[in-house]
Amino acid sequence: MAELTFVNEVHWVGRGREGGGSVTTGGQTLVLSAPSSMGGRGVGTSPEELLVSAVASCYVGTLFHLLGRDGLPADDVTVDAVGTVSDYPSRTARFSRIVVNPTIRGADSSRLPEYQASAQVAREHCFIGRALRDTISYEVGEVTLRTPASEGAEVGS
């Protein structure tokens, strides 16, 4: 088996939460700072947001693949993800939970249980989520279906 390598560059100026910088990855540069909710500058994205985004982006790609494999119609999938840090601001503060909430557009609402099952399997197969789930509660929240015939209609769990 081959090994894959992922390279990015992170630059930081300033001490602690007052500092800020950038992360360059995939040919683009993002502004980086601690979130204002943690006493930081709140400019650009934060390491916490990037962690939640990594899980959500891995999950959405895995789910979309599984929907095709399982013969479930889907035009596109959007995932809202929520990460929770517990015990802040103590020294034991930690990421405790990430919940992914997929919305599947172009779905067959009569097959909601099958979509829910695929959503759970995607959680098991998402390799970034798998890497974290022994230390962070990683869950699938509400699965929402939007049907093509009635674009505004939603079915959820």
Side-chain angles (χ1 to χ4, degrees), residues 2 8 23 28 33 35 40 60 83 89 103 105 110 122-123 135 140 150 154:
N8 62 43
V23 58
Q28 58 187 330
S33 73
V60 74
T103 298
R105 192 174 64 81
S110 70
R123 176 198 170 273
T135 56
V140 175
S150 55
E154 288 187 10

mmCIF file of all heavy atoms in Angstrom, residues 2 8 23 28 33 35 40 60 83 89 103 105 110 122-123 135 140 150 154:
data_model
loop_
_atom_site.group_PDB
_atom_site.id
_atom_site.type_symbol
_atom_site.label_atom_id
_atom_site.label_comp_id
_atom_site.label_asym_id
_atom_site.label_seq_id
_atom_site.Cartn_x
_atom_site.Cartn_y
_atom_site.Cartn_z
ATOM 1 N N ALA A 2 0.412 2.264 -0.681
ATOM 2 C CA ALA A 2 1.135 3.538 -0.758
ATOM 3 C C ALA A 2 0.814 4.412 0.447
ATOM 4 O O ALA A 2 -0.240 4.274 1.059
ATOM 5 C CB ALA A 2 0.752 4.274 -2.031
ATOM 6 N N ASN A 8 0.919 21.326 4.465
ATOM 7 C CA ASN A 8 0.446 22.698 4.511
ATOM 8 C C ASN A 8 1.442 23.508 5.318
ATOM 9 O O ASN A 8 2.333 22.960 5.957
ATOM 10 C CB ASN A 8 -0.988 22.812 5.051
ATOM 11 C CG ASN A 8 -1.131 22.320 6.469
ATOM 12 O OD1 ASN A 8 -0.304 22.587 7.325
ATOM 13 N ND2 ASN A 8 -2.197 21.593 6.720
ATOM 14 N N VAL A 23 -2.914 29.853 7.243
ATOM 15 C CA VAL A 23 -2.644 28.469 6.874
ATOM 16 C C VAL A 23 -2.746 28.410 5.354
ATOM 17 O O VAL A 23 -3.698 28.919 4.765
ATOM 18 C CB VAL A 23 -3.603 27.471 7.569
ATOM 19 C CG1 VAL A 23 -5.056 27.752 7.270
ATOM 20 C CG2 VAL A 23 -3.256 26.035 7.203
ATOM 21 N N GLN A 28 -4.306 27.567 -1.557
ATOM 22 C CA GLN A 28 -4.986 28.760 -1.074
ATOM 23 C C GLN A 28 -4.531 29.080 0.348
ATOM 24 O O GLN A 28 -4.065 28.211 1.068
ATOM 25 C CB GLN A 28 -6.495 28.586 -1.126
ATOM 26 C CG GLN A 28 -7.012 27.413 -0.326
ATOM 27 C CD GLN A 28 -8.492 27.200 -0.546
ATOM 28 O OE1 GLN A 28 -9.232 28.143 -0.806
ATOM 29 N NE2 GLN A 28 -8.933 25.980 -0.445
ATOM 30 N N SER A 33 -6.897 32.736 13.256
ATOM 31 C CA SER A 33 -6.734 33.291 14.598
ATOM 32 C C SER A 33 -7.594 32.484 15.560
ATOM 33 O O SER A 33 -8.445 31.706 15.137
ATOM 34 C CB SER A 33 -7.125 34.773 14.647
ATOM 35 O OG SER A 33 -8.520 34.938 14.560
ATOM 36 N N PRO A 35 -10.656 31.932 17.995
ATOM 37 C CA PRO A 35 -12.001 32.509 17.917
ATOM 38 C C PRO A 35 -12.244 33.524 19.034
ATOM 39 O O PRO A 35 -11.685 33.415 20.125
ATOM 40 C CB PRO A 35 -12.919 31.297 18.066
ATOM 41 C CG PRO A 35 -12.097 30.237 18.690
ATOM 42 C CD PRO A 35 -10.673 30.517 18.341
ATOM 43 N N GLY A 40 -9.829 35.215 21.540
ATOM 44 C CA GLY A 40 -8.944 35.543 20.427
ATOM 45 C C GLY A 40 -9.468 36.684 19.585
ATOM 46 O O GLY A 40 -10.485 37.296 19.892
ATOM 47 N N VAL A 60 -19.107 14.301 4.163
ATOM 48 C CA VAL A 60 -20.007 14.583 3.041
ATOM 49 C C VAL A 60 -19.592 13.804 1.790
ATOM 50 O O VAL A 60 -20.434 13.272 1.067
ATOM 51 C CB VAL A 60 -20.146 16.098 2.761
ATOM 52 C CG1 VAL A 60 -18.921 16.685 2.091
ATOM 53 C CG2 VAL A 60 -21.381 16.399 1.940
ATOM 54 N N GLY A 83 -19.250 21.549 16.284
ATOM 55 C CA GLY A 83 -18.238 21.039 17.199
ATOM 56 C C GLY A 83 -18.399 21.690 18.560
ATOM 57 O O GLY A 83 -18.709 22.878 18.650
ATOM 58 N N PRO A 89 -13.013 27.587 30.225
ATOM 59 C CA PRO A 89 -11.630 27.803 29.852
ATOM 60 C C PRO A 89 -10.615 27.051 30.721
ATOM 61 O O PRO A 89 -9.456 27.452 30.795
ATOM 62 C CB PRO A 89 -11.461 29.315 30.021
ATOM 63 C CG PRO A 89 -12.307 29.635 31.225
ATOM 64 C CD PRO A 89 -13.474 28.666 31.135
ATOM 65 N N THR A 103 -28.133 17.220 4.805
ATOM 66 C CA THR A 103 -29.337 17.535 4.041
ATOM 67 C C THR A 103 -29.093 17.031 2.624
ATOM 68 O O THR A 103 -28.113 17.413 1.986
ATOM 69 C CB THR A 103 -29.618 19.050 4.031
ATOM 70 O OG1 THR A 103 -29.844 19.481 5.374
ATOM 71 C CG2 THR A 103 -30.827 19.380 3.168
ATOM 72 N N ARG A 105 -30.488 16.765 -1.129
ATOM 73 C CA ARG A 105 -31.423 17.346 -2.094
ATOM 74 C C ARG A 105 -31.568 16.392 -3.268
ATOM 75 O O ARG A 105 -30.610 15.776 -3.710
ATOM 76 C CB ARG A 105 -30.909 18.702 -2.579
ATOM 77 C CG ARG A 105 -31.957 19.502 -3.348
ATOM 78 C CD ARG A 105 -31.463 20.894 -3.698
ATOM 79 N NE ARG A 105 -30.325 20.852 -4.599
ATOM 80 C CZ ARG A 105 -30.409 20.687 -5.923
ATOM 81 N NH1 ARG A 105 -31.582 20.543 -6.502
ATOM 82 N NH2 ARG A 105 -29.333 20.672 -6.663
ATOM 83 N N SER A 110 -39.731 8.690 0.457
ATOM 84 C CA SER A 110 -40.303 7.422 0.926
ATOM 85 C C SER A 110 -39.224 6.464 1.432
ATOM 86 O O SER A 110 -39.532 5.435 2.013
ATOM 87 C CB SER A 110 -41.109 6.759 -0.195
ATOM 88 O OG SER A 110 -40.242 6.281 -1.218
ATOM 89 N N ALA A 122 -21.792 6.124 6.650
ATOM 90 C CA ALA A 122 -20.805 7.146 6.260
ATOM 91 C C ALA A 122 -20.002 7.584 7.479
ATOM 92 O O ALA A 122 -18.787 7.799 7.383
ATOM 93 C CB ALA A 122 -21.497 8.341 5.615
ATOM 94 N N ARG A 123 -20.633 7.684 8.623
ATOM 95 C CA ARG A 123 -19.924 8.023 9.854
ATOM 96 C C ARG A 123 -18.852 6.972 10.144
ATOM 97 O O ARG A 123 -17.738 7.294 10.522
ATOM 98 C CB ARG A 123 -20.900 8.114 11.024
ATOM 99 C CG ARG A 123 -20.215 8.370 12.353
ATOM 100 C CD ARG A 123 -21.153 8.016 13.524
ATOM 101 N NE ARG A 123 -20.427 8.043 14.765
ATOM 102 C CZ ARG A 123 -19.744 7.011 15.258
ATOM 103 N NH1 ARG A 123 -19.662 5.880 14.614
ATOM 104 N NH2 ARG A 123 -19.113 7.124 16.421
ATOM 105 N N THR A 135 -11.726 9.704 20.975
ATOM 106 C CA THR A 135 -11.553 10.778 21.954
ATOM 107 C C THR A 135 -12.633 11.851 21.867
ATOM 108 O O THR A 135 -12.768 12.658 22.778
ATOM 109 C CB THR A 135 -10.179 11.456 21.791
ATOM 110 O OG1 THR A 135 -10.053 11.922 20.456
ATOM 111 C CG2 THR A 135 -9.048 10.488 22.099
ATOM 112 N N VAL A 140 -24.086 11.379 14.068
ATOM 113 C CA VAL A 140 -24.946 11.857 12.992
ATOM 114 C C VAL A 140 -26.199 12.387 13.666
ATOM 115 O O VAL A 140 -26.843 11.680 14.446
ATOM 116 C CB VAL A 140 -25.309 10.733 12.001
ATOM 117 C CG1 VAL A 140 -26.300 11.240 10.956
ATOM 118 C CG2 VAL A 140 -24.064 10.177 11.346
ATOM 119 N N SER A 150 -40.824 18.892 -5.055
ATOM 120 C CA SER A 150 -41.300 19.987 -4.204
ATOM 121 C C SER A 150 -40.103 20.556 -3.453
ATOM 122 O O SER A 150 -39.976 20.388 -2.261
ATOM 123 C CB SER A 150 -42.356 19.463 -3.236
ATOM 124 O OG SER A 150 -41.835 18.358 -2.500
ATOM 125 N N GLU A 154 -39.490 19.219 3.025
ATOM 126 C CA GLU A 154 -38.417 18.537 3.754
ATOM 127 C C GLU A 154 -38.990 17.390 4.553
ATOM 128 O O GLU A 154 -40.109 17.449 5.061
ATOM 129 C CB GLU A 154 -37.743 19.505 4.740
ATOM 130 C CG GLU A 154 -36.899 20.534 4.077
ATOM 131 C CD GLU A 154 -36.105 21.369 5.081
ATOM 132 O OE1 GLU A 154 -36.086 21.010 6.275
ATOM 133 O OE2 GLU A 154 -35.511 22.358 4.648
#
